[in-house]
Amino acid sequence: MSAVSDRLPVFPWDKLEPYKKTAAAHPDGIVDLSVGTPVDPVPELIQKALVDAADSPGYPTVWGTPALRGAITGWLERRLGARGITHRHVLPVVGSKELVAWLPTQLGLGPGDKVAHPRLAYPTYEVGARLARAGYEVYDDPRDLDPENLRLLWLNSPSNPTGRVLTKRELTDIVAWARAHDVLVFSDECYLELGWEADPVSVLHPDVNGGSFDGIVAVHSLSKRSNLAGYRAAFAAGDPEVLGPLLQIRKHGGMMTSAPTQAAVVAALGDDAHVREQRERYAARREALRSALLAHGFRIEHSEASLYLWATRDESCWTTVADLADRGILVAPGDFYGEAGARHVRVAFTATDERVRAAVSRLTA
């Protein structure tokens, strides 16, 4: 067992525990803005779909019900502008983190192969490479990478942690470069419906991929847009020559989404009203926290999308974390996401309205 665990870095969130204790000691309680976990209720129509499917004694299928696959393809066409999407182009997964962590292993990558991800990035991209014993490297522009032995290229737009959005032109050029060098592209688009100062575009859009899904897969999650983090509901969509073998592997591994969750996803993808309502909540919290951080001397960089504000006072991220913890506010240090984040913090606006008001009051006092 240790041979596997020894490949992994120290779990970064453990380092935050002392600051969490400090923040929790505030007389008015902690305002936890460190983790982007939903706090608002699961929409009633989704809860109802889950309950209605609760009597599900049999095993679910890894590929999902036809209704689930149809809901995914319909959403991809309606929301992302994808064309020519069939059931062969989609694969339900048990939350997007599971896919990210185990994708290099399931693709058969190993020593000598390389995985690339953004310089500032979700740590699980690196973890996935480590689990497979593959190499990993970071980039500012993936087109500057050496493509030799580069087997998997992760894109992340909108970005976690920075909220940066890649333009349609950038995506188009990156996809063309990857195809020219026979590099598989996985695009993490889990925050795509949360654009504030930009309109994020998917690699599945025909303007980006030229009407072909060859060599590209997009990853989407319902955790943020529908408050379903507790349901573990996500899916991949794109090249069937990639997803087909993954489906077979996942069948052998029993990596299946529960039947009630599948029914809940059908309801969630078929309704846009709850997404608009949740966006409005997040937009108000974002504006309140953004204004308060600016008034407190922070500079906000990127942050045109996602659920985070990428903030700096041009000091060590841990100095910032400590200062805010003294005010009862917990944020994530930027170096959790790479050395380039050492002078930034990531501030999530997923707290309740009451807790956001508390944070604003403390920052502007």
Side-chain angles (χ1 to χ4, degrees):
M1 290 298 295
S2 62
V4 177
S5 61
D6 287 350
R7 298 177 209 160
L8 304 179
V10 175
F11 190 61
W13 293 95
D14 292 344
K15 301 178 187 177
L16 206 55
E17 281 303 312
Y19 301 93
K20 187 174 184 178
K21 291 180 180 178
T22 298
H26 190 279
D28 186 38
I30 188 173
V31 178
D32 193 344
L33 307 178
S34 64
V35 182
T37 186
V39 298
D40 300 302
V42 174
E44 287 187 13
L45 85 159
I46 301 175
Q47 293 190 47
K48 184 178 185 302
L50 185 83
V51 171
D52 289 346
D55 186 14
S56 298
Y59 288 109
T61 63
V62 173
W63 199 21
T65 62
L68 174 60
R69 299 195 300 271
I72 294 172
T73 57
W75 181 84
L76 292 169
E77 292 175 348
R78 184 180 77 252
R79 180 62 184 84
L80 304 190
R83 296 291 176 265
I85 287 277
T86 71
H87 289 201
R88 293 179 58 248
H89 293 89
V90 301
L91 177 65
V93 296
V94 191
S96 58
K97 184 171 185 175
E98 169 262 302
L99 178 71
V100 173
W102 293 107
L103 180 65
T105 298
Q106 292 177 7
L107 290 173
L109 275 57
D113 298 321
K114 295 188 299 184
V115 176
H117 60 75
R119 186 173 303 280
L120 283 165
Y122 185 46
T124 312
Y125 303 134
E126 178 185 322
V127 166
R130 286 173 176 255
L131 285 170
R133 294 195 180 97
Y136 52 90
E137 56 186 275
V138 300
Y139 65 79
D140 294 309
D141 184 332
R143 293 167 292 182
D144 295 332
L145 293 166
D146 179 356
E148 186 174 0
N149 297 323
L150 179 58
R151 300 282 306 282
L152 174 61
L153 171 63
W154 277 108
L155 303 181
N156 182 209
S157 175
S159 162
N160 174 16
T162 69
R164 182 189 172 203
V165 174
L166 295 174
T167 66
K168 184 183 291 186
R169 180 75 264 165
E170 288 174 314
L171 287 171
T172 302
D173 291 347
I174 291 168
V175 167
W177 177 88
R179 284 173 168 168
H181 296 287
D182 197 26
V183 176
L184 176 61
V185 173
F186 263 69
S187 180
D188 181 346
E189 301 174 356
C190 290
Y191 295 89
L192 186 137
E193 295 206 86
L194 296 164
W196 312 111
E197 298 166 12
D199 187 13
V201 179
S202 172
V203 295
L204 301 181
H205 195 287
D207 289 353
V208 172
N209 60 42
S212 167
F213 300 117
D214 291 350
I216 58 171
V217 176
V219 180
H220 284 269
S221 167
L222 284 84
S223 294
K224 316 302 185 184
R225 51 96 71 190
S226 296
N227 299 337
L228 295 190
Y231 284 42
R232 311 314 301 133
F235 58 88
D239 191 342
E241 298 303 316
V242 175
L243 297 182
L246 287 179
L247 172 60
Q248 297 307 313
I249 292 168
R250 295 171 68 84
K251 284 180 179 180
H252 282 288
M255 305 175 84
M256 58 189 77
T257 305
S258 75
T261 296
Q262 292 187 31
V265 172
V266 172
L269 292 178
D271 178 74
D272 296 327
H274 78 276
V275 180
R276 290 192 295 269
E277 292 171 6
Q278 190 60 46
R279 276 182 53 88
E280 290 172 3
R281 294 187 190 103
Y282 284 142
R285 294 165 185 165
R286 176 182 184 271
E287 183 53 37
L289 285 169
R290 183 177 184 277
S291 297
L293 288 166
L294 291 173
H296 196 69
F298 283 91
R299 184 173 70 254
I300 308 297
E301 296 183 354
H302 301 299
S303 306
E304 57 262 32
S306 82
L307 288 177
Y308 314 106
L309 294 166
W310 189 238
T312 181
R313 290 191 307 204
D314 296 309
E315 63 189 7
S316 164
C317 60
W318 289 101
T319 299
T320 306
V321 168
D323 177 68
L324 292 177
D326 287 339
R327 298 170 187 272
I329 301 170
L330 189 67
V331 298
D335 64 5
F336 278 10
Y337 308 95
E339 294 179 2
R343 299 178 74 80
H344 290 74
V345 293
R346 193 194 74 170
V347 184
F349 41 90
T350 53
T352 64
D353 291 341
E354 184 274 330
R355 288 289 83 187
V356 168
R357 286 193 295 269
V360 169
S361 175
R362 298 173 196 183
L363 289 168
T364 55

